[in-house]
Amino acid sequence: MDFMRVKLEPETAFIGKKFAYLFIGVIFSLNVITFIWFFLFSKLN
């Protein structure tokens, strides 16, 4: 049981890190899209 626990810990840490990078990437891309959208609408007005 201890061997399985030690074996599974790096995989769960890698999955958590991958989801964290994905979450940060989604937030950053949404921020970039909103900044470009506000810039275009302020340029039109």
Side-chain angles (χ1 to χ4, degrees):
M1 292 300 283
D2 290 333
F3 181 69
M4 285 294 292
R5 185 169 174 233
V6 172
K7 185 181 174 186
L8 282 173
E9 273 180 356
E11 293 179 2
T12 54
F14 177 72
I15 290 170
K17 193 180 288 184
K18 188 168 68 174
F19 274 110
Y21 282 132
L22 185 73
F23 188 66
I24 290 171
V26 166
I27 289 176
F28 186 72
S29 61
L30 283 175
N31 282 324
V32 168
I33 287 170
T34 50
F35 275 125
I36 290 172
W37 185 64
F38 279 125
F39 180 71
L40 287 176
F41 270 92
S42 66
K43 205 171 182 181
L44 283 174
N45 292 328

